[in-house]
């Protein structure tokens, strides 16, 4: 459940194949748009779970295709089970209301740069989506995809049709949703500027989920909480820097670039981080460690791929850093992790 950074679109490989199909269906420049993805797509395969990094230029190309509905179509093409531990936790919830409550809590961990708040309103619940970085490249596509997946979540988990919900969108987002309504029903209405609101009735929230499993859910929630605790919230400065770093590890991204992206001076950013007990260098190392350990669980990635993924051009330097993080060589660590029978695997075996 890796956070999505504010200026890059990061999607599981399965989602990217769905996006490729959408581009083909709508006449988009698939060859050019996916040139940089050929190698990771080959490694991942159509069922791969590697997170693919699509930079701001790629996002700009997609947003300039003249297909305003593409973000919504991409979101509706995503499947709940493709969202890793959180996806299976959602499938294991007893009711749609519990699943949406879970989504509101953990979605920012999976999709960094968005804030999702839940509030009780007369007759139901309201979910408010806020984009923390609305002016950066690719965010219209990312927001539409996030909103559309949330709608699709209700349909996939509980068979709830879009017409059973009310979605309030700002003017520009509303125009994109209207374009998407040619392909899927969209319960879109005009809303307040800068705010996306989804309202679901109490009757809909009480809809049971057929795949509910209390035992599996308990184990999955523990995993979600562990991941949630490891990822700082975007409300603090360390969290904001982490969201910027998280998908830039393979590039040179000095503190000056981070300060510019956050609209503060380098001196101010250093001071803010120091007030929270961090330095920029320490955060870079922390994010590299977290991403490397997460990537170790993806069998489609070679060790040299992981080294490059977290910003090491030299395999020996990566091995030294990995020993410092874990006390083990990368190959030894991966072999031990592969051999472990985790509580998560035990729970799925018991549920089978």
């Amino acid at each position: 459940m890796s956070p999505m950074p504010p200026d890059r679109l990061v999607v599981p490989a399965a989602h990217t194949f769905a996006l490729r199909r959408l581009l083909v269906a709508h006449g988009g420049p698939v060859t050019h748009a996916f040139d940089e993805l050929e190698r990771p797509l080959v490694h991942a395969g159509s069922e791969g779970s590697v997170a693919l990094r699509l930079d701001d230029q790629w996002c700009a190309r997609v947003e300039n295709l003249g297909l305003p509905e593409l973000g919504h179509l991409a979101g509706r093409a995503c499947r709940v089970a493709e969202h890793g531990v959180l996806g299976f936790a959602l499938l294991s919830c007893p009711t749609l209301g519990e699943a949406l409550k879970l989504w509101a809590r953990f979605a920012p961990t999976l999709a960094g740069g968005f804030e999702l708040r839940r509030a009780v309103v007369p007759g139901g619940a309201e979910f408010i989506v806020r984009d923390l970085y609305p002016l950066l490249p690719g965010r219209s596509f990312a927001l539409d995809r996030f909103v559309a997946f949330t709608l699709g979540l209700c349909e996939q988990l509980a068979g709830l049709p879009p017409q059973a919900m009310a979605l309030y969108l700002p003017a520009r987002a509303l125009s994109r949703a209207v374009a998407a309504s040619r392909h899927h029903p969209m319960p879109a209405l005009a809303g307040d500027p800068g705010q996306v609101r989804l309202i679901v009735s109490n009757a809909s929230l009480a809809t049971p989920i057929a795949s509910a499993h209390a035992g599996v859910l308990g184990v999955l929630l523990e995993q979600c909480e562990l991941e949630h605790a490891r990822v700082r919230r975007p409300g603090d400065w360390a969290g904001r820097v982490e969201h910027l770093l998280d998908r830039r590890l393979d590039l040179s991204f000095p503190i000056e670039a981070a300060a510019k992206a956050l609209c503060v001076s380098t001196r101010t950013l250093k001071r803010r981080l120091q007030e929270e007990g961090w330095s920029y260098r320490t955060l870079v190392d922390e994010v590299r460690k977290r991403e490397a350990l997460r990537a170790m669980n993806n069998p489609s990635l070679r060790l040299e791929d992981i080294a490059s993924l977290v910003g090491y051009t030299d395999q020996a330097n990566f091995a030294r850093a990995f020993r410092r993080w874990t006390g083990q060589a990368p190959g030894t660590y991966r072999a031990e992790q592969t051999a472990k029978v985790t509580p998560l695997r035990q729970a799925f075996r018991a549920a089978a």
Side-chain angles (χ1 to χ4, degrees):
M1 298 184 299
S2 179
M4 183 165 58
D7 58 349
R8 290 196 171 197
L9 172 67
V10 182
V11 296
H15 295 187
T16 305
F17 277 91
L19 184 55
R20 181 195 287 266
R21 289 193 296 271
L22 285 172
L23 286 171
V24 169
H26 292 84
V30 176
T31 302
H32 298 296
F34 285 89
D35 277 347
E36 64 268 42
L37 299 181
E38 291 304 324
R39 189 176 66 83
L41 281 174
V42 170
H43 281 299
S46 62
E47 300 302 321
S49 59
V50 59
L52 301 174
R53 300 164 184 236
L54 312 182
D55 63 21
D56 49 6
Q57 292 181 347
W58 190 95
C59 289
R61 290 204 302 273
V62 170
E63 288 194 338
N64 290 330
L65 291 178
L67 300 172
E69 67 269 34
L70 191 59
H72 285 283
L73 296 179
R76 293 299 293 270
C78 296
R79 311 308 299 170
V80 176
E82 294 169 354
H83 285 73
V85 173
L86 176 55
F88 285 106
L90 294 170
L91 287 164
S92 302
C93 287
T95 65
L96 178 62
E98 290 300 314
L100 286 175
K101 188 185 300 183
L102 198 67
W103 178 242
R105 173 165 172 72
F106 293 117
T109 305
L110 181 70
F114 290 107
E115 180 183 70
L116 181 59
R117 291 186 287 115
R118 176 183 177 276
V120 176
V121 296
E126 178 182 66
F127 299 87
I128 302 173
V129 181
R130 188 168 71 96
D131 188 352
L132 300 177
Y133 308 95
L135 300 180
L136 292 177
R139 296 308 284 174
S140 295
F141 181 95
L143 175 63
D144 291 349
R145 180 178 172 275
F146 184 82
V147 170
F149 175 73
T150 302
L151 287 173
L153 186 74
C154 299
E155 189 171 354
Q156 292 176 50
L157 293 178
L160 188 66
Q163 297 89 335
M165 298 170 275
L167 177 66
Y168 295 90
L169 299 171
R172 290 185 179 179
L174 179 61
S175 66
R176 299 193 299 269
V178 170
S181 66
R182 295 179 297 176
H183 309 275
H184 296 285
M186 289 291 295
L189 302 168
D192 300 327
Q195 184 172 264
V196 175
R197 297 166 54 231
L198 174 65
I199 298 178
V200 185
S201 70
N202 285 330
S204 297
L205 294 172
T207 305
I209 296 176
S211 56
H213 193 292
V216 171
L217 178 60
V219 176
L220 292 169
L221 283 177
E222 292 180 10
Q223 300 296 317
C224 290
E225 290 289 358
L226 288 173
E227 183 69 16
H228 190 68
R230 283 195 292 265
V231 180
R232 266 168 289 282
R233 305 281 67 75
D236 56 40
W237 285 94
R240 296 180 192 182
V241 170
E242 281 198 346
H243 282 304
L244 288 172
L245 288 172
D246 197 55
R247 296 295 179 229
R248 290 178 174 269
L249 294 177
D250 54 345
L251 302 172
S252 175
F253 194 65
I255 188 172
E256 292 81 7
K260 183 178 180 180
L262 294 171
C263 302
V264 296
S265 68
T266 302
R267 178 179 297 180
T268 296
L269 181 57
K270 287 181 177 179
R271 185 176 71 253
R272 297 294 190 190
L273 292 176
Q274 287 172 355
E275 289 171 354
E276 296 177 4
W278 292 95
S279 70
Y280 188 77
R281 179 176 296 182
T282 304
L283 279 173
V284 171
D285 192 64
E286 185 82 6
V287 175
R288 281 177 166 170
K289 173 185 175 181
R290 186 180 69 226
E291 291 301 310
L293 294 179
R294 180 182 289 117
M296 282 287 175
N297 294 320
N298 189 335
S300 68
L301 293 177
R302 301 169 300 177
L303 293 179
E304 52 265 40
D305 294 328
I306 297 174
S308 176
L309 191 71
V310 298
Y312 287 94
T313 56
D314 183 81
Q315 185 72 20
N317 288 339
F318 172 67
R320 281 193 290 271
F322 199 89
R323 283 184 180 275
R324 175 166 52 82
W325 295 331
T326 66
Q328 293 179 297
T332 304
Y333 177 90
R334 171 172 263 184
E336 289 188 1
Q337 293 300 308
T338 302
K340 283 183 178 179
V341 179
T342 64
L344 189 58
R345 292 174 184 168
Q346 290 176 335
F348 276 112
R349 288 178 182 176

